[in-house]
Amino acid sequence: MRVKQLVKIYETLYDYFGDLHWWPGETPFEIAVGAILTQNTNWRNVETAIDRIKSADLLDPMSLYLAEDAVVADLIRSSGYYNIKTKRLKAFLSFLHQEYAGSLDKMFCEELWTLRKKLLDVKGIGDETADSILLYSGNMPVFVVDAYTRRILERHGIVTADWSYDEIQALFMGTVPQDISFYNQYHALLVNTGKHFCRPTPLCDRCPLVSLKLS
DNA sequence: CACCAGGCAAGTA
DNA sequence: TACTTGCATGGT
């Protein structure tokens, strides 16, 4: 039942938006950094921060790790929570250097769920950030659940507010298991839909999902 | 002016 | 386990 609803939503959004070419970012490392910086923050402010890191020539695992906290905090100021995000970036980089000699390629050689659990042990990396890194930086088959995903599904009566992250993820992953491009594209479509049509305050009138007659 | 943005961890009961 | 709070800038 829910499975068909999810497929219909996907098809509708894909018809409306087309290919979105996610994640915005040129390298796996840039994507991982972006995943941490975008926590509860507008993407525009994250882009500014990443541009500044690039301008300072610090957008690589070793340079960023060796940079002073105060320097990093200043560079990422526009992304908000800059002190705590500096610590989170450093915690991730410390993990990357200790466990994988600073190599994302080595890190992504791990088995998916083993790596996911290790990432969740890093302070500052929660469910969504871990999954964003796994899917968009590592090209691994895992579904990313975010605030937009939850809001859109709740508004269409597919889940209720008490569903956990893992439950919602399992719902999507039970639908089309092991399909990286589907997970990649679907999350991107949901985020775009959220940005344009599913803010906390109304705006639903032009949403492509509005006339869908779900449930 | 108020509200929101692609969360997370630590503290409290 | 389940809730609350701090973290912070920049756009609408």
Side-chain angles (χ1 to χ4, degrees), chain A residues 16-194:
Chain A
Y16 186 86
F17 288 110
D19 250 297
L20 295 176
H21 306 296
W22 262 43
W23 179 296
E26 298 173 353
T27 65
F29 185 67
E30 178 175 337
I31 291 167
V33 168
I36 292 170
L37 294 184
T38 198
Q39 290 168 0
N40 202 40
T41 299
N42 190 308
W43 179 255
R44 176 192 302 273
N45 294 349
V46 176
E47 279 190 316
T48 304
I50 289 177
D51 286 345
R52 284 171 56 78
I53 297 173
K54 281 183 183 170
S55 298
D57 200 24
L58 294 179
L59 193 58
D60 64 87
M62 187 56 78
S63 302
L64 198 57
Y65 183 61
L66 294 178
E68 294 289 337
D69 284 9
V71 170
V72 176
D74 179 63
L75 290 172
I76 68 172
R77 182 176 178 279
S78 67
S79 75
Y81 308 133
Y82 50 82
N83 288 314
I84 206 159
K85 283 177 179 175
T86 295
K87 288 195 177 69
R88 290 176 181 182
L89 284 172
K90 289 294 188 78
F92 172 63
L93 292 169
S94 174
F95 166 76
L96 188 62
H97 286 294
Q98 299 247 347
E99 302 290 325
Y100 309 103
S103 164
L104 284 176
D105 284 339
K106 287 195 177 78
M107 186 180 87
F108 291 125
C109 286
E110 292 261 30
E111 188 278 327
L112 169 58
W113 298 102
T114 303
L115 178 55
R116 187 177 193 275
K117 185 167 283 188
K118 289 186 180 183
L119 286 171
L120 290 177
D121 282 338
V122 177
K123 292 302 177 194
I125 297 183
D127 292 311
E128 186 190 335
T129 307
D131 289 334
S132 296
I133 291 171
L134 292 167
L135 177 62
Y136 290 107
S137 176
N139 203 35
M140 297 174 94
V142 69
F143 194 86
V144 180
V145 177
D146 72 327
Y148 289 134
T149 307
R150 188 175 280 281
R151 186 182 302 156
I152 291 166
L153 262 52
E154 280 182 33
R155 287 199 181 171
H156 288 278
I158 296 171
V159 305
T160 47
D162 59 306
W163 282 51
S164 69
Y165 185 101
D166 290 343
E167 287 171 331
I168 296 177
Q169 181 179 59
L171 179 61
F172 281 95
M173 296 189 68
T175 308
V176 182
Q178 303 293 302
D179 190 332
I180 294 168
S181 63
F182 177 80
Y183 295 156
N184 181 317
Q185 190 68 230
Y186 205 157
H187 175 69
L189 291 167
L190 288 170
V191 171
N192 236 28
T193 304

